Coordinates of all heavy atoms in Angstrom, one line a residue:
P1 N 39.7 88.6 72.7 CA 40.3 87.5 72.0 C 40.5 87.7 70.5 O 41.5 87.4 69.9 CB 39.4 86.3 72.2 CG 38.4 86.7 73.3 CD 38.5 88.2 73.4
V2 N 39.5 88.4 69.8 CA 39.6 88.7 68.4 C 40.6 89.7 68.2 O 41.5 89.6 67.3 CB 38.2 89.1 67.8 CG1 38.4 89.6 66.4 CG2 37.2 88.0 67.8
Y3 N 40.7 90.7 69.0 CA 41.7 91.8 68.9 C 43.1 91.2 69.1 O 44.0 91.5 68.3 CB 41.5 92.9 69.9 CG 42.6 93.9 70.0 CD1 42.6 95.0 69.1 CD2 43.6 93.8 71.0 CE1 43.6 95.9 69.1 CE2 44.6 94.8 71.0 CZ 44.6 95.8 70.1 OH 45.6 96.7 70.1
A4 N 43.3 90.3 70.1 CA 44.6 89.7 70.3 C 45.0 88.8 69.1 O 46.1 88.8 68.7 CB 44.5 88.8 71.6
F5 N 44.0 88.1 68.5 CA 44.3 87.4 67.3 C 44.8 88.2 66.1 O 45.8 87.9 65.5 CB 43.0 86.5 66.9 CG 43.2 85.8 65.6 CD1 44.0 84.7 65.5 CD2 42.5 86.2 64.5 CE1 44.1 84.0 64.3 CE2 42.6 85.5 63.3 CZ 43.4 84.4 63.2
V6 N 44.0 89.3 65.9 CA 44.4 90.2 64.8 C 45.7 90.9 65.0 O 46.6 91.1 64.2 CB 43.3 91.2 64.5 CG1 43.7 92.2 63.4 CG2 42.0 90.5 64.1
L7 N 45.9 91.2 66.3 CA 47.2 91.9 66.7 C 48.4 90.9 66.4 O 49.4 91.3 66.0 CB 47.2 92.3 68.1 CG 48.4 93.0 68.7 CD1 48.7 94.3 67.9 CD2 48.3 93.3 70.2
S8 N 48.2 89.6 66.7 CA 49.2 88.6 66.4 C 49.5 88.5 64.9 O 50.6 88.2 64.5 CB 48.9 87.2 67.0 OG 47.8 86.7 66.2
L9 N 48.5 88.7 64.1 CA 48.7 88.7 62.7 C 49.4 90.0 62.1 O 50.3 89.9 61.4 CB 47.3 88.6 61.9 CG 46.6 87.3 62.0 CD1 45.2 87.4 61.3 CD2 47.4 86.1 61.4
S10 N 48.9 91.1 62.6 CA 49.3 92.4 62.0 C 50.5 93.0 62.7 O 51.3 93.8 62.2 CB 48.2 93.4 62.1 OG 47.9 93.8 63.4
R11 N 50.7 92.7 64.0 CA 51.7 93.3 64.9 C 51.6 94.8 64.9 O 52.6 95.5 65.0 CB 53.1 92.9 64.4 CG 53.3 91.4 64.7 CD 54.7 91.0 64.4 NE 54.9 89.6 64.9 CZ 55.0 88.6 64.1 NH1 54.9 88.7 62.7 NH2 55.2 87.4 64.5
D12 N 50.4 95.4 64.7 CA 50.2 96.8 64.7 C 48.9 97.1 65.4 O 47.8 96.6 64.9 CB 50.2 97.3 63.3 CG 50.0 98.8 63.2 OD1 49.0 99.4 63.8 OD2 50.8 99.5 62.6
A13 N 48.9 97.8 66.6 CA 47.7 98.0 67.4 C 46.6 98.7 66.6 O 45.4 98.4 66.7 CB 48.1 98.7 68.6
A14 N 46.9 99.7 65.8 CA 45.9 100.5 65.1 C 45.2 99.6 64.1 O 44.0 99.7 63.9 CB 46.5 101.7 64.5
I15 N 46.0 98.8 63.3 CA 45.4 98.0 62.3 C 44.6 96.9 63.0 O 43.5 96.6 62.5 CB 46.6 97.3 61.5 CG1 47.3 98.4 60.6 CG2 46.0 96.2 60.6 CD1 48.5 97.9 59.9
A16 N 45.1 96.4 64.1 CA 44.3 95.4 64.8 C 43.0 95.9 65.3 O 42.0 95.2 65.2 CB 45.1 94.8 66.0
E17 N 42.9 97.1 65.8 CA 41.7 97.7 66.2 C 40.7 97.9 65.1 O 39.6 97.6 65.2 CB 42.0 99.0 66.9 CG 40.7 99.5 67.7 CD 41.1 100.7 68.6 OE1 42.2 100.8 69.1 OE2 40.2 101.5 68.8
D18 N 41.3 98.4 64.0 CA 40.4 98.6 62.8 C 39.8 97.3 62.2 O 38.7 97.2 61.9 CB 41.2 99.3 61.7 CG 41.5 100.8 61.9 OD1 40.9 101.4 62.9 OD2 42.3 101.3 61.2
I19 N 40.6 96.4 62.1 CA 40.2 95.0 61.6 C 39.2 94.4 62.6 O 38.2 93.8 62.2 CB 41.4 94.1 61.3 CG1 42.4 94.7 60.3 CG2 41.0 92.7 60.9 CD1 41.8 94.9 58.9
T20 N 39.5 94.5 63.9 CA 38.5 94.0 64.8 C 37.2 94.6 64.7 O 36.1 94.0 64.7 CB 39.1 94.1 66.3 OG1 40.4 93.5 66.3 CG2 38.2 93.5 67.3
Q21 N 37.1 96.0 64.6 CA 35.9 96.7 64.4 C 35.2 96.2 63.2 O 34.0 96.0 63.2 CB 36.1 98.2 64.4 CG 36.6 98.8 65.7 CD 35.6 98.6 66.8 OE1 34.4 98.5 66.7 NE2 36.1 98.5 68.0
E22 N 35.9 96.1 62.1 CA 35.4 95.6 60.8 C 34.8 94.2 61.0 O 33.7 93.9 60.4 CB 36.5 95.6 59.7 CG 36.0 95.3 58.4 CD 37.0 95.4 57.3 OE1 38.0 96.2 57.5 OE2 36.9 94.6 56.3
T23 N 35.5 93.4 61.7 CA 35.1 92.0 62.0 C 33.7 92.0 62.6 O 32.8 91.2 62.2 CB 36.1 91.3 62.9 OG1 37.4 91.2 62.2 CG2 35.6 89.8 63.2
F24 N 33.5 92.8 63.6 CA 32.2 92.8 64.3 C 31.1 93.4 63.5 O 30.0 93.0 63.6 CB 32.4 93.5 65.7 CG 32.9 92.6 66.7 CD1 34.3 92.6 67.0 CD2 32.1 91.6 67.4 CE1 34.9 91.7 68.0 CE2 32.7 90.8 68.3 CZ 34.1 90.8 68.6
L25 N 31.5 94.4 62.6 CA 30.5 94.9 61.7 C 30.0 93.8 60.7 O 28.8 93.7 60.5 CB 31.0 96.1 60.9 CG 31.1 97.4 61.7 CD1 31.9 98.5 60.9 CD2 29.7 97.9 62.1
K26 N 31.0 93.1 60.2 CA 30.6 92.0 59.3 C 29.8 91.0 60.0 O 28.9 90.4 59.4 CB 31.9 91.4 58.7 CG 32.5 92.3 57.6 CD 33.8 91.7 57.1 CE 34.4 92.5 56.0 NZ 35.7 91.9 55.5
A27 N 30.2 90.7 61.2 CA 29.5 89.7 62.0 C 28.0 90.1 62.2 O 27.1 89.3 62.1 CB 30.2 89.4 63.3
I28 N 27.8 91.4 62.5 CA 26.4 91.8 62.7 C 25.6 91.7 61.4 O 24.5 91.2 61.5 CB 26.4 93.3 63.1 CG1 26.9 93.5 64.5 CG2 25.0 93.9 63.0 CD1 27.1 95.0 64.9
K29 N 26.2 92.0 60.3 CA 25.5 91.9 59.1 C 25.2 90.4 58.7 O 24.2 90.2 58.0 CB 26.3 92.6 57.9 CG 26.4 94.1 58.0 CD 27.2 94.6 56.9 CE 27.4 96.1 57.1 NZ 28.3 96.7 56.0

C-alpha cells in the first residue's frame, strides 16, 4: 500500500521503490 501510494505521487517505479524503502527506514528509526 505504501509503494502504491508513492507510485501514485511519483509515477515512476524506481523512485517509488526508493522512497518506500526510505519510508520504512525512517519508520524503524
Side-chain angles (χ1 to χ4, degrees):
V2 171
Y3 173 81
F5 173 70
V6 178
L7 185 60
S8 72
L9 290 174
S10 68
R11 295 190 170 101
D12 184 303
I15 292 171
E17 190 169 330
D18 289 345
I19 299 296
T20 303
Q21 293 298 330
E22 184 178 333
T23 298
F24 281 96
L25 284 172
K26 287 180 179 179
I28 288 171
K29 291 179 182 176

